[in-house]
Amino acid sequence: MPLIEVRNLTKVFSARASAFGGSARVGGRAGEVRAVNDVSLDIEAGETLGLVGESGSGKSTLGRLILRLIEPTSGSIRFEGRDLLSAGRGEMRRLRRDLQIIFQDPFASLDPRFRVEDIIAEPLIIHGDSSGNGRPGLPGRSKLDTRSRVVELLHAVGLDDSALRRYPHEFSGGQRQRIGIARALALRPKFIVCDEPVSALDVSVGAQIVNLLAQLQREFGLTYLFISHSMPVVRYLSTRIAVMYKGQIVELGDTEQITARPAHPYTRSLLEATPELTT
């Protein structure tokens, strides 16, 4: 059984008339934007499925739909065989432990009023588990247990204890993204949506983050949906690649197959747009 099963997933947003008097119409009726259109895919446990496409193709919307951060118009989503769309608030809260996200912008995704220790500890406090052992926390659990878990997470992403009492603005973009990754790992999730986690970073820093994600996947047995507009990054990290264009998956296959023998013209155009180093 796949870890994630998506079937015929669709998300339609209503759109206002344009400033020039026309009505918005993208893949649907006037006044509609069909951001995700009848998407079906599986994600196997332990793999990285790379989701690649240009800006506005619906990649981030699909990632948020799978996590139920936004609700779909139609379709189904299953996690370990459980129907996420029929899950009530209590069940969905429990499932959130296994379903996490790393956001694109490390400058906007961290609360500037919180110290790093509080940012990473927040999921542990909300879900009542400061030990990271997958069980509900017990009354009276000490703050020392929470801090120990936060320190463990900081070390896992390449930061030291000195980060605990500092605020997000005191860190570089790459360091902030490491903090966001530590927060996503706090509850030992099984599945993480990586929503363009390196697009806001310098190339060298982004490469470090990609290598860190690969290392953490091996260490913690994670499953990723890695969203990016960069074919080279997706090719490096992914087991399989899904190519998204105008809200639809136009090609899906093994990384080697997609990059060596692309079948769809849009996939070929993405590959041809990749710059090559020459001497």
Side-chain angles (χ1 to χ4, degrees):
M1 180 186 300
L3 186 71
I4 300 287
E5 298 172 82
V6 174
R7 295 293 179 270
N8 307 114
L9 198 62
T10 296
K11 179 61 178 180
V12 178
F13 292 102
S14 60
R16 296 178 180 177
S18 73
F20 300 100
S23 296
R25 178 177 179 147
V26 180
R29 295 176 297 179
E32 290 184 351
V33 176
R34 194 169 290 264
V36 174
N37 188 9
D38 198 32
V39 167
S40 296
L41 56 81
D42 293 336
I43 304 176
E44 303 291 338
E47 79 163 335
T48 297
L49 177 63
L51 184 61
V52 64
E54 62 189 342
S55 297
S57 61
K59 307 184 304 297
S60 294
T61 300
L62 178 57
R64 284 164 168 74
L65 286 170
I66 291 174
L67 298 181
R68 273 196 70 184
L69 296 179
I70 55 178
E71 296 295 325
T73 303
S74 62
S76 67
I77 309 162
R78 291 185 176 274
F79 170 70
E80 294 185 323
R82 288 173 284 187
D83 184 357
L84 292 186
L85 298 183
S86 66
R89 177 176 295 182
E91 183 181 2
M92 199 62 217
R93 180 186 175 93
R94 291 189 294 273
L95 289 170
R96 293 249 177 251
R97 303 168 65 90
D98 289 324
L99 305 167
Q100 293 293 316
I101 185 169
I102 299 167
F103 293 100
Q104 174 180 356
D105 187 352
F107 299 92
S109 60
L110 304 178
D111 192 325
R113 301 167 299 175
F114 282 18
R115 298 181 190 271
V116 167
E117 179 178 4
D118 299 322
I119 289 170
I120 300 175
E122 187 176 23
L124 301 170
I125 296 168
I126 290 173
H127 288 270
D129 183 5
S130 60
S131 67
N133 58 15
R135 298 183 307 225
L138 300 175
R141 186 178 295 277
S142 71
K143 291 184 178 180
L144 182 61
D145 290 335
T146 301
R147 170 167 281 205
S148 297
R149 175 65 177 151
V150 171
V151 169
E152 176 188 338
L153 290 163
L154 283 173
H155 292 172
V157 299
L159 297 174
D160 59 36
D161 302 18
S162 65
L164 285 169
R165 305 303 296 166
R166 295 164 64 189
Y167 290 93
H169 73 268
E170 300 178 64
F171 295 90
S172 67
Q175 290 171 325
R176 293 187 203 191
Q177 196 60 287
R178 290 173 186 268
I179 295 165
I181 293 170
R183 178 178 59 185
L185 291 173
L187 296 170
R188 299 187 186 272
K190 296 179 181 178
F191 175 67
I192 299 180
V193 172
C194 305
D195 187 10
E196 302 207 46
V198 299
S199 65
L201 306 175
D202 293 340
V203 173
S204 60
V205 176
Q208 294 171 17
I209 296 298
V210 168
N211 288 329
L212 174 64
L213 290 171
Q215 172 192 324
L216 293 171
Q217 183 175 42
R218 294 189 296 269
E219 185 175 346
F220 295 105
L222 299 167
T223 303
Y224 292 144
L225 175 65
F226 187 87
I227 299 170
S228 179
H229 62 267
S230 171
M231 184 64 85
V233 173
V234 167
R235 175 166 41 189
Y236 175 77
L237 193 63
S238 303
T239 314
R240 293 185 301 137
I241 294 175
V243 181
M244 196 163 188
Y245 178 63
K246 291 186 176 181
Q248 295 182 304
I249 301 295
V250 296
E251 190 164 3
L252 174 64
D254 294 339
T255 298
E256 182 178 354
Q257 170 199 332
I258 293 291
T259 55
R261 299 178 300 279
H264 196 277
Y266 180 68
T267 308
R268 290 196 292 270
S269 70
L270 287 177
L271 290 165
E272 290 168 359
T274 302
E276 295 183 4
L277 295 178
T278 58
T279 56

